[in-house]
Amino acid sequence: MNALLAALRPALVSFFSRTMPFDAAEDLAQAALVRIHRALPNIDAARAHPYIVTVAYNLARTAYAQSARDNRRMAPEQSADAIPGPTAADRHTQYRELARAVHRVASAKMPQPQREVVLGLLRGDTPAEIANQLGISPVTVRTRLMRARAVLHRELRPFLDDTRQDCAG
């Protein structure tokens, strides 16, 4: 068994080191060997190669995902000073434009019960206040709001896509 694992080690290190630092490749190769060693009694000889390849690919994919998460965690702190954010006036203008778009969609595309909930939220009412005003339960308000959000998502997708492109460009 040791001879088999020793024979696999260089191939695994080589596989992992193509896309990551050597230390990380060594660690992943070791993790792969541990997994293979544990599963060895259950591995069919005819399917051993595909199993080993699958273990290696899964470990590599997990390492890439972890690296991406780590990079996302670090990126905002590193780039916050370099990229100027929108001013308060810009954010207020964007908010007002979005509120107008929501009002237009609510008025044109939603049935009256959903429209009442959305317009109440735009006025600044809480869901509990809306429930009291309409004489319905808070659960009904949440249900109508959920349905209204689906309509807003569908109808405002072009607006949101344009906004994202403006921020990226």
Side-chain angles (χ1 to χ4, degrees), residues 43-110:
I43 299 174
D44 180 24
R47 296 179 27 225
H49 184 267
Y51 178 81
I52 293 167
V53 169
T54 300
V55 167
Y57 276 113
N58 286 344
L59 284 170
R61 188 178 63 223
T62 301
Y64 294 139
Q66 182 63 45
S67 175
R69 280 191 298 273
D70 292 345
N71 288 339
R72 280 194 303 271
R73 286 185 193 128
M74 301 304 267
E77 293 176 3
Q78 295 170 351
S79 63
D81 297 334
I83 301 172
T87 64
D90 291 338
R91 285 191 304 271
H92 182 70
T93 301
Q94 289 173 349
Y95 174 80
R96 291 187 62 191
E97 288 175 9
L98 181 58
R100 280 190 211 109
V102 168
H103 191 277
R104 277 193 307 272
V105 170
S107 298
K109 302 282 184 174
M110 289 184 191

Side-chain angles (χ1 to χ4, degrees), residues 95-168:
Y95 174 80
R96 291 187 62 191
E97 288 175 9
L98 181 58
R100 280 190 211 109
V102 168
H103 191 277
R104 277 193 307 272
V105 170
S107 298
K109 302 282 184 174
M110 289 184 191
Q112 184 66 26
Q114 290 175 8
R115 182 179 317 132
E116 291 171 340
V117 170
V118 170
L119 295 178
L121 287 173
L122 287 175
R123 283 190 308 267
D125 298 341
T126 66
E129 292 170 338
I130 295 169
N132 286 337
Q133 291 168 3
L134 299 176
I136 58 177
S137 76
V139 173
T140 304
V141 171
R142 286 194 301 267
T143 301
R144 290 178 183 175
L145 183 57
M146 179 185 66
R147 291 177 181 154
R149 283 182 179 143
V151 172
L152 290 170
H153 188 320
R154 182 183 68 239
E155 296 295 325
L156 294 177
R157 182 180 301 272
F159 177 83
L160 295 173
D161 289 343
D162 289 344
T163 302
R164 286 186 193 121
Q165 289 172 1
D166 289 346
C167 291

Side-chain angles (χ1 to χ4, degrees), residues 9-37:
R9 187 180 170 287
L12 290 169
V13 171
S14 174
F15 169 76
F16 291 123
S17 65
R18 283 187 248 155
T19 57
M20 55 192 64
F22 185 75
D23 289 343
E26 286 277 341
D27 292 344
L28 288 174
Q30 186 66 30
L33 291 172
V34 167
R35 287 185 184 187
I36 293 165
H37 181 265

